[in-house]
Amino acid sequence: MLLASTVFLGAFLLFLIEPLFAKLILPRFGGAAAVWAACLVFFQCALLLGYLYADLTSRRMTPARQSHLHIALLLLSSLFLPIAPRYSQSLRAGGDPAATILILLSVSIGLPFVLLSATSPLVQIWYARANAQREPYHLFALSNLASLLALLSYPLLIEPRVAAHRQAAVWSVLFVVFALLCSAAAWLARRGAVPAAAADSEQSETGEAPSLRQKLLWVGLSACSSMLLLSITNKLLEDVAPVPLLWVLPLALYLLTFALAFSNRILYWRGPLVRFLAVALGSLGYAIYDPTYTESVQVSVPLFCIGLFLCCWFCHGELALRRPAARYATSFYLMISLGGALGAIFVGLAAPHLFTGIYELPLALIFTALLAVAALWPRGWLIRLFWVGAAACMAFVLVRNARDYKKNAIVRVRSFYGALRVQESTNWLKEPYRTLYHGRIEHGAQYVNTLSSLLPTTYYGPESGVGLALTHCCPNAKRVGAIGLGAGTLAAYGKTSDYFRFYEINPQVVQIAKTYFSYLRDSPARIDVAVGDARLSLQKEPPQEFDVLAVDAFSGDAIPVHLLTREAFALYLRHLKPGGILAVHTSNTYLNLPPMVQLLAADAGYEARLIVNDESHRKLIDSSDWVLVTRNRQFLDTFDTTVLIEAISVPPHLRVWTDDFNNLFQILRPVKFKQENAG
């Protein structure tokens, strides 16, 4: 009972801290979706360290010394409590944000996380020593079930009801309880354990040592499932939003396959599962080949999650079938964690530097098919040829995906903040124009023709909310701030003696806007660009006295929640003139942002108006939603009589977000399938 309780609580805390701490540090890195990928790299590497610690201490130390060391480390881990981001500005200045995240997590939760990671393999080896005739793998299944419970409870129960600082405090208290349980288990293992050397001699005939080929297959299967986890998670975050539900849902399915495969009775039936795997690979490959069929969230999320589940079930089921005798358990888990770390490092750290596009998912599908060849090799030539053919099909998908991504592109770059490309096309009059894309999201367009190059386009047309604000805010020179640069389209509204200050977190966006678009160069206004997170930049600056401050950070694939809180709004209003206008871009397919802006405006004593404009493809104008927040009564009276104002319906359960409490899950927009017209 003590061992089971220790494993359960340790695994629960291990996977509870993952979304909890990722959410705590998300604002420090601009709310980028890649923050979760970097966190997963740390979690997988820390898991590897925990398993390595369990393996080395179990093989190289006597049970008594191992017990003393583990209890001492548990006491030492109390220095990390209560958990909080131990953040240094020097870490944030320059360099790769992913490396900064790894350092931040290491100094904030490193030792507690490694000790929690080591709990399951350690307790299993203690169980195996005390019960030589029984396998300990059911404890691994128990740990995965506890992990699954933690992951699902966070977005559904904990996040909507408990403030972030209280979440951290409760976790810290529970860790103290875990440390006491684990210390007691370690102490009992010290008293009743069989010496390691004796255990080896007694069990030497119960199982053969795993071969190099087996170990490589362990690593490969684990690395493949890790690559699939990160690449499919990134795909969902790119297409929908980085909400905790979409962080933990793929990870929960990943863990569920572990729990199924490593239960007392292995729940993996190779025959039917291999057939399902073929269907899953075909479906995922076609979704990448032709993404128009997965544009709806009701299709994309189930499709990619089911595909992930089936592929990981195959990988983990094959691992379970190949598990060694109990004496090699820690080495087995070490190889699994090594594969998980390698897969995470490839997708989370290496891929953004190796590729200019997002190609990790088709690469993971190719790897899955090749592993099926290796795992099913003894079943004959027909099976081998089938899976070699499947790998070739996935390779074709990769080539097609890369070719389509490069089509009409004049520049392609990628960084921690995502993949950017500029495409050159022509309109109905054969006039050339350029469009900036962040993933699949449009971030501005401009005509190449000099006569039309200063026309505001896309979400910033003259009838858009921000266009109306910039046109009617003031008769004379104006000061304008813009959070989010894109192609620099808002500079088209600049006139002589105007001042525009853009805040942009991605240096590559700044370089593209200056090199491949001419809004910033050609605008008669004076232009400044501040590189870095907008909120951190505004906190350091004296009041800017903006006539208009445009918050344009909510139309892309990553929703920076820290820019939509009570504290953020107080900061924006500090930088506005008394009659200034805050324009918040709320266009989003999946998130209903206007109600939150309405609540924040009312909380600060301001009025809000939702402006929706129609699209005009001939003028490169896209439909957009902007919420204008101001106390300027003259401006509001003019708008209320001349402009169509959309009503903002605020759900009764919604409450004002703060830096300490926010939940994107509450404003997920119900997306309906498109209905074809009859006839």
Side-chain angles (χ1 to χ4, degrees):
M1 186 64 181
L2 176 61
L3 294 181
S5 300
T6 303
V7 167
F8 185 91
L9 183 57
F12 186 88
L13 292 176
L14 180 67
F15 282 86
L16 183 63
I17 199 175
E18 293 189 9
L20 190 162
F21 213 82
K23 186 172 180 178
L24 286 177
I25 68 170
L26 188 65
R28 300 171 185 265
F29 299 90
V35 170
W36 178 243
C39 288
L40 280 178
V41 173
F42 170 82
F43 299 146
Q44 292 280 24
C45 292
L47 189 70
L48 172 60
L49 286 178
Y51 282 13
L52 180 61
Y53 162 79
D55 180 62
L56 291 178
T57 56
S58 297
R59 291 191 294 108
R60 303 288 180 87
M61 301 178 71
T62 65
R65 288 185 177 180
Q66 182 189 49
S67 173
H68 294 153
L69 174 63
H70 199 64
I71 292 172
L73 290 175
L74 287 168
L75 290 174
L76 185 62
S77 66
S78 63
L79 298 177
F80 288 77
L81 303 179
I83 59 164
R86 269 74 178 180
Y87 183 74
S88 170
Q89 289 290 346
S90 62
L91 294 176
R92 186 71 169 85
D96 186 358
T100 303
I101 290 173
L102 296 180
I103 296 172
L104 173 58
L105 290 169
S106 298
V107 301
S108 301
I109 59 172
L111 183 57
F113 197 94
V114 170
L115 292 177
L116 287 169
S117 301
T119 301
S120 179
L122 273 179
V123 171
Q124 288 181 65
I125 204 67
W126 296 341
Y127 178 89
R129 287 171 177 168
N131 303 272
Q133 304 303 318
R134 300 181 63 183
E135 286 193 344
Y137 291 107
H138 65 282
L139 291 174
F140 187 56
L142 177 65
S143 70
N144 281 289
L145 286 174
S147 305
L148 182 64
L149 178 62
L151 287 173
L152 294 180
S153 65
Y154 185 78
L156 300 178
L157 298 176
I158 299 173
E159 185 195 25
R161 293 172 173 81
V162 185
H165 75 280
R166 288 189 178 180
Q167 294 174 21
V170 171
W171 189 95
S172 300
V173 171
L174 289 176
F175 183 81
V176 173
V177 175
F178 160 78
L180 294 174
L181 287 175
C182 195
S183 296
W187 186 258
L188 293 177
R190 163 193 170 275
R191 293 172 54 188
V194 177
D200 284 346
S201 62
E202 289 176 13
Q203 297 180 4
S204 61
E205 297 181 0
T206 62
E208 295 182 0
S211 64
L212 177 61
R213 182 184 181 280
Q214 286 177 299
K215 290 182 178 180
L216 290 176
L217 195 53
W218 293 346
V219 172
L221 289 166
S222 178
C224 182
S225 63
S226 180
M227 288 174 61
L228 288 163
L229 169 64
L230 265 75
S231 57
I232 287 179
T233 302
N234 287 344
K235 172 72 175 173
L236 294 177
L237 297 183
E238 176 190 337
D239 290 350
V240 186
V243 293
L245 179 64
L246 293 182
W247 288 351
V248 304
L249 181 57
L251 185 54
L253 294 172
Y254 171 86
L255 290 173
L256 178 58
T257 61
F258 260 124
L260 292 172
F262 285 88
S263 60
N264 274 330
R265 179 174 174 268
I266 298 177
L267 297 178
Y268 172 69
W269 305 275
R270 177 183 276 170
L273 256 298
V274 166
R275 291 171 173 81
F276 284 132
L277 175 67
V279 175
L281 287 182
S283 301
L284 293 174
Y286 191 78
I288 299 170
Y289 176 82
D290 188 356
T292 58
Y293 288 92
T294 57
E295 287 182 348
S296 171
V297 67
Q298 289 96 332
V299 175
S300 62
V301 172
L303 174 65
F304 284 102
C305 285
I306 292 172
L308 173 67
F309 177 78
L310 292 173
C311 292
C312 288
W313 199 359
F314 164 76
C315 292
H316 299 156
E318 292 296 325
L319 280 172
L321 292 179
R322 289 168 169 78
R323 62 191 186 187
R327 63 180 293 223
Y328 300 110
T330 55
S331 298
F332 177 59
Y333 292 135
L334 182 61
M335 292 297 102
I336 291 177
S337 60
L338 175 61
L342 291 175
I345 289 171
F346 175 78
V347 175
L349 299 183
H353 297 285
L354 294 174
F355 309 128
T356 56
I358 301 176
Y359 306 133
E360 301 88 81
L361 181 52
L363 281 172
L365 298 182
I366 296 171
F367 191 23
T368 305
L370 292 176
L371 280 172
V373 176
L376 303 174
W377 187 267
R379 302 189 66 180
W381 281 104
L382 188 61
I383 297 295
R384 298 172 199 169
L385 288 174
F386 175 84
W387 286 105
V388 168
C393 291
M394 296 303 104
F396 173 77
V397 168
L398 172 61
V399 172
R400 170 66 181 268
N401 182 247
R403 189 183 68 182
D404 289 349
Y405 188 77
K406 295 176 183 177
K407 187 178 181 180
N408 298 328
I410 59 176
V411 63
R412 293 174 292 112
V413 294
R414 186 177 174 186
S415 69
F416 173 83
Y417 297 104
L420 301 168
R421 74 185 189 276
V422 178
Q423 286 187 335
E424 190 161 304
S425 311
T426 56
N427 68 357
W428 63 292
L429 292 175
K430 304 301 181 183
E431 296 174 314
Y433 65 93
R434 292 175 177 177
T435 307
L436 172 62
Y437 288 96
H438 182 175
R440 294 168 57 190
I441 307 298
E442 185 179 0
H443 276 239
Q446 183 181 30
Y447 287 106
V448 176
N449 188 322
T450 304
L451 295 176
S452 305
S453 62
L454 272 181
L455 293 176
T457 60
T458 60
Y459 307 109
Y460 319 102
E463 296 181 1
S464 67
V466 71
L468 293 170
L470 291 171
T471 304
H472 298 93
C473 68
C474 42
N476 301 315
K478 57 183 175 288
R479 290 178 61 86
V480 178
I483 297 176
L485 174 61
T489 312
L490 286 181
Y493 290 96
K495 294 180 172 56
T496 305
S497 73
D498 287 349
Y499 173 70
F500 280 67
R501 183 171 180 80
F502 292 91
Y503 299 87
E504 174 58 50
I505 195 171
N506 189 349
Q508 289 183 340
V509 172
V510 179
Q511 185 64 31
I512 287 175
K514 291 181 177 179
T515 305
Y516 297 95
F517 298 88
S518 63
Y519 284 120
L520 299 182
R521 291 196 308 271
D522 296 343
S523 174
R526 184 163 63 93
I527 307 290
D528 279 337
V529 179
V531 181
D533 178 71
R535 185 165 165 183
L536 295 177
S537 298
L538 288 169
Q539 285 173 346
K540 298 175 185 176
E541 296 175 357
Q544 292 294 310
E545 296 292 314
F546 290 128
D547 293 288
V548 176
L549 177 57
V551 182
D552 183 27
F554 306 102
S555 60
D557 49 5
I559 309 301
V561 176
H562 70 299
L563 297 181
L564 202 58
T565 65
R566 175 183 286 154
E567 293 83 356
F569 260 57
L571 183 62
Y572 303 151
L573 299 176
R574 182 171 73 85
H575 285 279
L576 279 178
K577 289 181 179 178
I581 304 164
L582 178 65
V584 184
H585 192 184
T586 59
S587 303
N588 194 279
T589 304
Y590 305 109
L591 300 172
N592 186 21
L593 296 169
M596 182 50 60
V597 178
Q598 169 74 58
L599 279 181
L600 289 165
D603 181 70
Y606 282 68
E607 295 190 56
R609 301 289 188 271
L610 172 59
I611 311 297
V612 179
N613 69 280
D614 295 327
E615 64 182 12
S616 175
H617 290 304
R618 292 191 172 188
K619 298 180 180 179
L620 296 185
I621 300 295
D622 295 321
S623 175
S624 64
D625 301 350
W626 288 84
V627 178
L628 305 183
V629 177
T630 186
R631 283 176 175 166
N632 189 327
R633 176 47 54 187
Q634 181 179 358
F635 177 82
L636 289 172
D637 289 342
T638 302
F639 257 56
D640 290 342
T641 56
T642 62
V643 177
L644 180 61
I645 308 294
E646 295 282 339
I648 302 176
S649 177
V650 180
H653 66 278
L654 195 62
R655 73 189 224 207
V656 172
W657 286 354
T658 67
D659 287 347
D660 200 41
F661 176 84
N662 49 75
N663 182 10
L664 281 174
F665 184 61
Q666 292 180 327
I667 58 169
L668 281 178
R669 192 189 297 271
V671 181
K672 298 180 180 179
F673 290 105
K674 295 180 180 179
Q675 295 182 353
E676 299 293 337
N677 293 329

